[in-house]
Amino acid sequence: GESVGLHLPTLSVQEGDNSIINCAYSNSASDYFIWYKQESGKGPQFIIDIRSNMDKRQGQRVTVLLNKTVKHLSLQIAATQPGDSAVYFCAEGQSGSARQLTFGSGTQLTVLP
Amino acid sequence: DTEVTQTPKHLVMGMTNKKSLKCEQHMGHRAMYWYKQKAKKPPELMFVYSYEKLSINESVPSRFSPECPNSSLLNLHLHALQPEDSALYLCASNWGAGGNYGYTFGSGTRLTVV
């Protein structure tokens, strides 16, 4: 999603459904990408990463898809659970000595019972 | 130990106070970072230390002063802050050049400047 002013994009899904969170990244030179989950009052928690030489990577209940042509990243969460409710950030980075990350604007995921 | 530990978790300080935020990791990571996060916004990079040397300062005001006493510790010294500096301050670490890309973040220090 893309941010508008101070409002986080939001996504509400029913418990048990699949969630798809989207992210547009900005730098065509970025060669790795990370998805983070941030719960209220906590620091970002690593979910999954992907390098630019891949277009798909799967983890436990999560899949990240990378489309370099349109600079688009998505996170798919299977069988969404209440504990998945959080803000999700994508981050992009470039190989180099400092491994800097630039974060996207974030998406608030709310899982409905 | 796979954690980044930040202290204190919460801090309230006046504009004339001097305080320090602390960050510690024992994963052998050689790069450490300070980020600032405002409500409903993504983290923004402030400083990067690589092998205990400051490698990046993202034009941060001098009222924020980082220090890396050794490879496991990172401090952020605060002096004469403004109310707009109130935010969540996050520390992160990773292997740095040639290593695992993934960052590990601490839980942050919630700073309120009054």
Side-chain angles (χ1 to χ4, degrees):
Chain A
E2 295 183 358
S3 64
V4 178
L6 295 177
H7 301 286
L8 275 176
T10 59
L11 174 66
S12 296
V13 299
Q14 292 292 138
E15 183 177 354
D17 286 352
N18 296 334
S19 303
I20 299 177
I21 300 171
N22 295 304
C23 176
Y25 66 92
S26 57
N27 191 339
S28 55
S30 294
D31 61 4
Y32 70 99
F33 307 87
I34 307 176
W35 279 101
Y36 283 96
K37 172 186 180 183
Q38 188 173 23
E39 297 174 275
S40 181
K42 296 185 179 180
Q45 177 187 358
F46 175 91
I47 301 174
I48 191 168
D49 61 2
I50 188 168
R51 300 188 187 189
S52 59
N53 60 353
M54 303 171 70
D55 54 20
K56 180 179 180 179
R57 191 164 186 223
Q58 289 184 289
Q60 188 176 15
R61 276 201 313 122
V62 295
T63 300
V64 56
L65 299 177
L66 174 63
N67 185 330
K68 294 182 290 293
T69 303
V70 295
K71 295 201 290 243
H72 184 268
L73 198 64
S74 69
L75 176 70
Q76 301 177 1
I77 304 174
T80 313
Q81 302 168 359
D84 295 327
S85 293
V87 177
Y88 289 81
F89 291 102
C90 65
E92 60 181 301
Q94 298 175 47
S95 302
S97 62
R99 302 272 192 238
Q100 298 175 68
L101 288 181
T102 301
F103 283 80
S105 56
T107 297
Q108 173 72 59
L109 174 65
T110 301
V111 181
L112 306 172
Chain B
D1 187 350
T2 59
E3 291 186 346
V4 173
T5 303
Q6 289 189 245
T7 56
K9 293 194 183 305
H10 301 274
L11 178 63
V12 179
M13 61 184 290
M15 289 188 283
T16 59
N17 291 160
K18 286 184 181 181
K19 296 287 184 183
S20 296
L21 309 185
K22 297 185 183 303
C23 174
E24 190 168 1
Q25 57 87 16
H26 296 288
M27 295 176 279
H29 287 173
R30 303 317 300 260
M32 296 185 76
Y33 307 77
W34 280 115
Y35 283 83
K36 174 182 178 179
Q37 187 178 26
K38 302 286 274 187
K40 299 191 184 298
K41 291 288 192 179
E44 294 180 345
L45 183 66
M46 299 175 72
F47 301 105
V48 180
Y49 272 83
S50 181
Y51 291 85
E52 302 166 46
K53 294 191 186 322
L54 182 66
S55 62
I56 294 175
N57 176 341
E58 290 287 335
S59 302
V60 179
S62 60
R63 58 186 184 268
F64 296 91
S65 175
E67 178 196 19
C68 189
N70 60 56
S71 60
S72 298
L73 295 175
L74 186 66
N75 299 323
L76 186 62
H77 303 298
L78 314 173
H79 174 54
L81 295 193
Q82 303 298 310
E84 58 265 29
D85 296 322
S86 299
L88 180 68
Y89 288 84
L90 293 162
C91 175
S93 70
N94 73 357
W95 292 106
N100 188 336
Y101 293 104
Y103 284 48
T104 302
F105 279 86
S107 294
T109 294
R110 177 73 60 187
L111 174 67
T112 303
V113 182
V114 297

